[in-house]
């Protein structure tokens, strides 16, 4: 049985009114921004189920936009984000849908720019979140660990090459999740680690043949 922490009981320090609908939304936006890393021309938010029906009253839209713009959960600018100058940095749009297969508090965040990316996630309660998909790849990112995202050609030995490199640098793997489109096609590797890594390790991974994309995603501060 999972033990409750003080964080679980009192929820995060935040701009309200709801930990799941507001703070969770901010954290989803921040983590999606950290994954995407680029500056988009436009962001399209598709809110599902409870997020779609009650999000306006609970500040979900404000939280998502604030997170993508890099504001923290306790930033007072969230309440007036739509009227603030910072919201004019990007073009954005909100869509709403029902999908019984998705979590009650689910969102797709589509970044449109030089690189297009769709990041799907859920707000699971008390400000806790989980990123479930990046484009067509299944993942599980909670923002609690520093994480390496790798997209590569599915082939024997790729997981071994990366894990051996991390072992050589004395980096402990907390979790490793792999997914692929089809045998021999594009695959993804999500590696959550204890501690931190330097840019040299990321650059070494980028140089591995048949690695298409590498992103180092730092854990959330709050």
């Amino acid at each position: 049985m999972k033990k409750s922490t003080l964080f679980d009981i009192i929820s995060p320090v935040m701009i309200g009114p709801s930990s799941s609908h507001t703070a969770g939304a901010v954290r989803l936006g921040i983590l999606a921004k950290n994954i995407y890393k680029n500056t988009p021309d436009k962001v399209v938010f598709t809110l599902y189920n409870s997020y779609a029906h009650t999000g306006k009253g609970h500040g979900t839209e404000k939280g998502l936009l604030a997170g993508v713009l890099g504001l923290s959960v306790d930033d007072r600018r969230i309440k007036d984000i739509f009227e603030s100058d910072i919201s004019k940095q990007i073009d954005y749009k909100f869509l709403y849908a029902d999908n019984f297969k998705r979590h009650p508090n689910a969102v797709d965040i589509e970044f449109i720019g030089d690189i297009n990316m769709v990041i799907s996630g859920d707000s699971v309660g008390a400000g806790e979140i989980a990123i479930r998909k990046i484009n067509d790849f299944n993942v599980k990112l909670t923002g609690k660990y520093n994480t390496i995202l790798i997209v590569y050609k599915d082939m024997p030995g790729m997981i071994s090459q990366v894990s051996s490199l991390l072992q050589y640098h004395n980096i402990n793997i907390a979790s490793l999740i792999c997914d692929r489109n089809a045998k021999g096609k594009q695959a993804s590797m999500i590696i959550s680690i204890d501690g931190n890594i330097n840019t040299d390790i990321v650059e070494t991974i980028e140089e591995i043949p048949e690695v298409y994309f590498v992103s180092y995603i730092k854990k959330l501060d709050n």
Side-chain angles (χ1 to χ4, degrees), residues 3-44:
K3 293 182 179 179
S4 295
T5 66
L6 185 60
F7 180 88
D8 297 322
I9 296 169
I10 66 173
S11 80
V13 176
M14 63 176 191
I15 298 298
S18 168
S19 59
S20 60
H21 281 67
T22 315
V26 177
R27 299 179 87 237
L28 281 167
I30 294 171
L31 191 52
K33 174 182 179 290
N34 292 347
I35 293 168
Y36 183 67
K37 291 190 180 299
N38 298 275
T39 301
D41 297 323
K42 184 175 182 178
V43 181
V44 179

Side-chain angles (χ1 to χ4, degrees), residues 155-167 176 189:
M155 56 189 295
M158 187 63 75
I159 296 173
S160 175
Q161 286 189 70
V162 175
S163 60
S164 296
L165 175 65
L166 296 180
Q167 181 184 18
L176 191 154
M189 198 184 313

